[in-house]
């Protein structure tokens, strides 16, 4: 549970730093977390394919940011 919370918060911070509002960042993270809980995939993979995330943080940037350290 602690690991999941850390991932969630790390992604929220990365998205806010990339230019999303707090509400937009929360929506992206929550949407993808719910998909993980539904068994639709891994959090990092779902984030990498999320159109709203890609708008501000392309896949290459996702790999380079601190999120990568937490998600792996």
């Amino acid at each position: 549970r602690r690991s999941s919370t850390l991932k969630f918060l790390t992604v929220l911070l990365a998205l806010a730093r990339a230019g999303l509002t707090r509400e937009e960042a929360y929506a992206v993270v929550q949407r993808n977390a719910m998909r993980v809980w539904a068994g639709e995939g891994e959090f990092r993979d779902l984030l990498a394919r999320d159109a709203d995330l890609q708008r501000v943080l392309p896949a290459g940037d996702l790999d380079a940011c601190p999120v990568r350290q937490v998600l792996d």
Side-chain angles (χ1 to χ4, degrees), residues 8-64:
F8 192 95
L9 293 173
T10 301
V11 175
L12 280 175
L13 289 172
L15 290 173
R17 287 183 185 138
L20 290 183
T21 66
R22 181 174 52 97
E23 292 81 9
E24 291 169 330
Y26 183 84
V28 169
V29 173
Q30 182 68 17
R31 175 176 59 241
N32 287 289
M34 294 299 290
R35 292 180 67 199
V36 170
W37 294 328
E40 295 180 31
E42 296 293 323
F43 193 50
R44 192 248 174 258
D45 297 334
L46 294 170
L47 288 171
R49 293 191 306 264
D50 188 285
D52 292 329
L53 182 140
Q54 289 177 358
R55 181 170 49 89
V56 296
L57 196 67
D61 291 348
L62 180 62
D63 289 338

